Amino acid sequence: MPNLSRRSFGALVGAGATSLALPYYARAQGKPKAVVIGGGAGGATAARYMAKDAGEDLDVTLIEANPAYTTCFFSNLYLGGFRTFESITHSYDTLASNYGITVVNGMADAVDRDAKMVVMADGSKVPYDRLIIAPGIDLIYDSVPGYSEDAAEIMPHSWKAGPQTQLLKAKLDAIENGQQIVMVTPPNPYRCPPGPYERVSMMAHILKEKGFNDSKITIIDPKPKFSKQALFQEGWEKHYPGMIEWYGPDVHGGIVKVDPSTGEVETDFDTFKGDLVNVIPAQKAGMIAAKTALTNESGFCPIDPKSMRSQADANIFVIGDASIAGDMPKSGFSANSQAKVAAMAIRGDLTGSKVFPAKYSNTCWSLIETNDGVKVGAQYAPSPEKIASTSKFISQTGEDAAMRQATYEESVGWYKGITTDIFGA
Ligand SMILES: Cc1cc2nc3c(=O)[nH]c(=O)nc-3n(C[C@H](O)[C@H](O)[C@H](O)COP(=O)(O)OP(=O)(O)OC[C@H]3O[C@@H](n4cnc5c(N)ncnc54)[C@H](O)[C@@H]3O)c2cc1C
């Protein structure tokens, strides 16, 4: 029977012993149980790393609502025609067959923190010793007056990849010359800060490819500035002159409402009418996080920067978009990086294996036009208050074509590497 070391026991006590039941070896008959809710960039990585590194010492279960996962990352490239939908959709089969992970296909409806049980929507229960919650985001539909889940069938958000992404692609492909596209972007914090602006670039790429010079894309932004702004605006000027207008709040004065029946976006200053309207509302942690009482007033989950352990429950870790990860943006790269830290901490808790100091990293690439890629990224380490950035980099305006092509090719390599790291090869 593995030992829980003095060091890791101390860590557990420090993390809030009052909420902890006895260590696993004092009560469990079988192997300790690590359960993950959410098989996305964060959750699937964590499950794979725990199963891979703990081998026979840990029983790993992954609970996921959907039978397959479509990545939001590179979904913009699918819109732009650079990727097929199949190439951004991944199965859980390898995690089950090669790593011995029990994949439960269903919706986790609640967590009984006292009994340490995940309660599934069908009423079945999944017991855990340590739980990772990685549900990604939920959309706050009414943050944009007039918008709703039903309205998203007409004005797709496409901020969760899958049918919504295919709907937006179908609407984009149906645009005719002279028709207008309007995008309402979200307030901070939201998943993938450069994502809306990469999406606009990919939409413009399609319009340009078809020679639709009379069509325009208008961005109504609730933020006064956005990620990689100088890089995007330089790229839009170069590749799509006159095609893209960006309005910050000092110009439009505020978003009053959207009307799915007319395609109108009303602001304090003016009303914009789109033949295609893409509304990306405000966001919060996926439902299960709030239902488990792990969120604060921001709608996201405070964590210990050293481990991703929830500040509300020492037996639970929150990773990815649902967490408050300090300086880290909400990205697939971040979620994958945080997953490895949480997986190591859980192995330490449950098997006594060594826990090394946490390090995190992120890079977000964006494609502006064919072979014109830009990136922004950073390294991070835990500080007493938060996950803090320790060094940063960003592409520069005016870079030559060879550098931009290399940056794009780097992103293609990254996609292959990260999806293998998440779902196994
Ligand atoms: C258009 C767009 C472009 C993007 N581009 C990039 C990029 O280039 N690079 C990058 O790094 N990031 C990018 N991102 C961001 C990235 O997709 C997210 O940050 C990342 O997916 C977050 O990972 P996660 O594990 O927290 O959540 P997700 O990947 O969303 O996974 C959550 C999973 O949990 C499941 N789930 C939720 N609740 C439950 C429940 N109760 N029971 C069972 N299952 C549940 C969901 O079905 C889902 O599969 C992009 C996002 C968008 C929208």
Side-chain angles (χ1 to χ4, degrees), residues 37-43 63-66 69 71-76 92 106-109 134-137 158-160 191-192 195 198-199 286-288 319-322 330-335 362-365 414:
I37 299 176
I63 299 171
E64 166 56 46
N66 296 311
Y69 179 77
T71 59
C72 285
F73 25 112
F74 276 33
S75 66
N76 287 331
Y92 293 102
M107 192 73 183
D109 186 52
I137 50 120
S158 306
W159 221 240
K160 290 188 179 197
R191 70 169 21 164
C192 196
E198 180 186 54
R199 178 175 285 177
M287 159 283 284
I288 195 73
I319 58 174
D321 290 352
K330 297 188 187 302
S331 75
F333 198 131
S334 295
N362 176 64
T363 304
C364 284
W365 288 267
W414 166 77

Side-chain angles (χ1 to χ4, degrees), residues 220-221 247-256 266-270 272:
I220 312 293
D221 208 323
Y247 295 126
D250 55 337
V251 179
H252 62 69
I255 298 161
V256 176
E266 189 185 325
T267 69
D268 273 350
F269 165 69
D270 207 348
F272 301 84

